[in-house]
Amino acid sequence: MNKNVIEIESGKAVLGIEFGSTRIKAVLINSKNEPIASGAYDWENSLVDGIWTYSMDEIMAGLKGCYAALKKDVKEKFNVTLKRIAAMGVSAMMHGYLAFDKDDNLLVPFRTWRNTITAAASSKLSSIFNYPIPERWSIAHLYQALLNNEEHVPCVAYFTTLDGFIHWKLTGKKIAGIGDASGMFPIDTATKDFNKSMIAKFNELPEVKVMPWTLEEILPEVLVAGENAGVLTSEGAAILDAEGDLEAGCPLCPPEGDAGTGMVATNSVSERTGNVSAGTSVFAMVVLEKELSKAYNGLIDLVTTPDGKLVAMAHANNCTGEYDKWIKVFGEVVKTLGFDVSKAELYDKLLSKALEGDKDCGGLIPYNYISGESMTGFSEGRTLFVRTQNNNFTLSNFMRAQLFTALGALRTGMDILFDNEHVKIDSLTCHGGFFKTADVGLKVMASAMHTSVSALETAGEGGPWGMALLASYLVNGNRMCLGEWLEKDVFASSKKTILTPEQSDVDGFNAFFENYKKGLPVLRAAVENIK
């Protein structure tokens, strides 16, 4: 009998689920930590009354739909009904704001990481704490609501992130993995908990002192990788599996943010390692040897690995979203002309054209700000394409420019780490949709980061697989530290592609980036004048 069938039937397989910006995905792994089945559910955020959000109905429908697709995949591949699992974990987009009252009612619609509506709170808290508090962070959303005198704030009994919310629904436990918690409120890496001195400072703020709660009362409990974060309840099992086949009782690892699962999926949890996750948004994570010298006005996040090491994160809200829309338009052109080309082929052909373009994109400058971009100081987004009359306007230059601009805001943040803080990186591993077209994404990223980059053969599995690995570590870690376990039990025989940039490509990106920075006032004028 197939070994995977035996493991599924005996309840030894492990499940990871991740809520991404455009897709919710579940991955089932075997005892060798290899993906053996998966399921997905496509969704999209909505801009409602100026707030980027997903409704509760969408969240729960997505969870059920994702699991149903996984269950169907297991049945089709192995002719087995998935009933028991050894362990599981839930991940989601970090940050954001989900606030509940004492009766567990949602007080305001979910405010996602994508919102750039907390500038005042971010600035004030960063100054008070002398610590970067980016606009995306949960505490910035809570404090901005206080500054705005929003009616719901006195009623807050608990606030959390998306993965913390799902974990709560599945286990009844109000818990955050330390990596995800570090995007809610600053972490003390010595105690592996929220920073108590900063909590005290927050509680002393005049807007907070009049509240019927203190911050520590409404935050989740913090746990690190390898700690048990509860078990799947019968209610939780019923939420996941509408058909009622899934048994309750399996342990759950601490819920994590997509940054943490990305670190795990790329074996980047040790000092001087880093990873880049590029899809709808893009962020680079570097595990630090020491703290940064200053806060940089919240442009650089300080978060942690799932086991509590300090990490610098440069984050940009916008990455592939704009060129996705352009490729969709090109697909409509192809269809209008009477041809039938698959989406995968369309992406491969068009993105590969970028490698034929001029090194500096022929002077073409697009901007991909579908939403605001804190890294460059935009609270609201616009997309724009700028060129002079004599630029070399070709398809290859257009596609190259779309890929370059997808990394423009990220490069702004990485310059702080490389040039100001002299952060050293031994390896920078890439994953996400930006890298799906063979070599194209890696070559562009290497040019933008002016350093060698790599991709693992498992990079396409991404965050859901990383979450499954954290769940596997819970039950199979054998008291090894996370980095050691990943090295020995997961990545020991992994194949890696390493790409070192050519100097001409680095120079080309630098020339593009200079124009990119010069054109930002044009984009700002578009934001201010085009409504």
Side-chain angles (χ1 to χ4, degrees):
M1 184 181 288
N2 183 294
K3 288 183 178 179
N4 289 330
V5 172
I6 295 172
E7 291 197 359
I8 294 169
E9 288 187 325
S10 60
K12 293 183 179 179
V14 173
L15 174 62
I17 297 176
E18 181 159 285
F19 285 70
S21 300
T22 58
R23 173 171 283 197
I24 306 167
K25 187 175 181 182
V27 170
L28 196 71
I29 63 175
N30 60 20
S31 58
K32 294 182 179 180
N33 297 305
E34 301 165 333
I36 56 176
S38 64
Y41 181 93
D42 291 337
W43 71 338
E44 185 56 78
N45 57 184
S46 303
L47 186 62
V48 180
D49 297 327
I51 301 293
W52 290 104
T53 189
Y54 301 86
S55 71
M56 282 292 110
D57 288 344
E58 289 174 307
I59 292 169
M60 301 314 294
L63 179 62
K64 291 174 184 291
C66 173
Y67 183 83
L70 169 75
K71 187 179 176 183
K72 181 181 178 183
D73 191 44
V74 170
K75 186 69 173 178
E76 290 176 349
K77 284 181 176 176
F78 306 109
N79 196 30
V80 174
T81 298
L82 185 59
K83 295 182 178 180
R84 295 179 296 277
I85 48 180
M88 69 172 292
V90 178
S91 174
M93 305 160 278
M94 284 180 70
H95 318 300
Y97 181 70
L98 281 155
F100 301 87
D101 67 14
K102 61 182 178 59
D103 297 316
D104 299 339
N105 297 308
L106 184 68
L107 291 168
V108 290
F110 173 34
R111 298 172 182 179
T112 78
W113 59 271
R114 197 170 197 172
N115 290 288
T116 50
I117 56 175
T118 63
S122 170
S123 177
K124 188 171 181 179
L125 291 177
S126 296
S127 177
I128 291 168
F129 297 155
N130 191 29
Y131 194 93
I133 305 294
E135 293 180 37
R136 301 179 306 282
W137 279 30
S138 306
I139 192 62
H141 282 278
L142 175 65
Y143 189 49
Q144 189 66 53
L146 276 162
L147 295 178
N148 294 345
N149 294 312
E150 294 187 35
E151 291 182 0
H152 80 274
V153 181
C155 300
V156 174
Y158 177 54
F159 77 114
T160 186
T161 59
L162 180 55
D163 55 277
F165 167 70
I166 298 296
H167 183 92
W168 176 28
K169 288 297 178 185
L170 297 180
T171 66
K173 302 288 186 180
K174 296 177 179 178
I175 286 169
I178 192 168
D180 194 52
S182 68
M184 291 188 71
F185 190 87
I187 291 290
D188 183 338
T189 54
T191 64
K192 302 291 192 289
D193 202 352
F194 291 120
N195 189 299
K196 287 183 170 52
S197 65
M198 293 186 192
I199 286 178
K201 288 181 179 179
F202 186 84
N203 285 334
E204 287 301 309
L205 292 170
E207 300 90 353
V208 180
K209 289 182 75 172
V210 297
M211 289 294 112
W213 45 258
T214 58
L215 183 57
E216 59 268 35
E217 292 173 340
I218 62 175
L219 282 166
E221 178 187 1
V222 178
L223 295 180
V224 300
E227 293 187 301
N228 192 303
V231 299
L232 182 66
T233 63
S234 56
E235 294 84 0
I239 289 173
L240 274 177
D241 187 357
E243 296 174 326
D245 294 315
L246 181 63
E247 296 177 7
C250 79
L252 273 78
C253 65
E256 265 300 343
D258 51 357
T261 58
M263 285 185 259
V264 171
T266 56
N267 194 21
S268 304
V269 298
S270 302
E271 292 178 354
R272 291 174 67 107
T273 64
N275 77 90
V276 178
S277 174
T280 304
S281 64
V282 57
F283 52 83
M285 318 280 298
V286 181
V287 186
L288 298 174
E289 298 177 278
K290 60 180 181 179
E291 295 214 17
L292 300 183
S293 63
K294 59 182 182 179
Y296 293 103
N297 296 319
L299 295 180
I300 301 297
D301 294 24
L302 289 175
V303 293
T304 77
T305 63
D307 58 346
K309 296 184 184 71
L310 191 65
V311 175
M313 177 167 71
H315 181 284
N317 287 348
N318 302 282
C319 185
T320 63
E322 178 66 358
Y323 77 62
D324 283 341
K325 293 187 182 300
W326 276 108
I327 291 177
K328 183 179 179 181
V329 168
F330 291 144
E332 290 178 6
V333 172
V334 171
K335 189 174 181 180
T336 300
L337 293 174
F339 297 98
D340 186 17
V341 178
S342 71
K343 183 177 178 181
E345 184 180 2
L346 196 63
Y347 268 79
D348 285 345
K349 295 284 187 184
L350 289 174
L351 293 179
S352 294
K353 289 293 291 184
L355 301 184
E356 302 172 14
D358 297 332
K359 298 298 185 181
D360 65 350
C361 309
L364 308 184
I365 305 293
Y367 291 95
N368 65 332
Y369 291 14
I370 293 175
S371 64
E373 192 60 77
S374 301
M375 187 66 75
T376 48
F378 285 80
S379 60
E380 194 177 336
R382 294 290 183 276
T383 62
L384 195 66
F385 179 67
V386 181
R387 69 181 184 92
T388 63
Q389 296 88 333
N390 59 354
N391 285 141
N392 190 12
F393 190 15
T394 64
L395 177 61
S396 57
N397 278 338
F398 181 82
M399 294 310 304
R400 188 176 182 88
Q402 290 293 335
L403 287 167
F404 273 21
T405 201
L407 305 181
L410 176 69
R411 170 62 181 269
T412 303
M414 292 304 290
D415 278 353
I416 293 173
L417 296 180
F418 288 140
D419 299 340
N420 297 15
E421 293 291 333
H422 308 291
V423 168
K424 304 299 181 186
I425 305 176
D426 293 333
S427 63
L428 189 63
T429 306
C430 303
H431 68 113
F434 189 83
F435 306 102
K436 285 185 177 179
T437 299
D439 289 342
V440 176
L442 281 180
K443 287 183 177 180
V444 172
M445 184 63 72
S447 302
M449 299 294 102
H450 49 79
T451 190
S452 295
V453 299
S454 63
L456 295 162
E457 62 180 352
T458 51
E461 303 299 338
W465 180 59
M467 194 66 242
L469 291 178
L470 286 171
S472 178
Y473 176 63
L474 171 66
V475 292
N476 301 314
N478 297 319
R479 297 186 179 181
M480 285 187 280
C481 71
L482 180 60
E484 180 186 8
W485 180 78
L486 289 172
E487 196 66 40
K488 290 183 177 180
D489 285 17
V490 181
F491 293 100
S493 59
S494 224
K495 294 180 182 178
K496 179 184 284 191
T497 300
I498 300 175
L499 195 148
T500 300
E502 297 179 11
Q503 188 59 48
S504 59
D505 286 325
V506 172
D507 292 342
F509 189 93
N510 288 343
F512 168 87
F513 189 54
E514 286 304 310
N515 279 336
Y516 175 94
K517 290 185 289 187
K518 290 176 183 176
L520 287 173
V522 180
L523 184 63
R524 195 171 305 281
V527 171
E528 293 170 354
N529 294 286
I530 301 176
K531 301 295 181 182

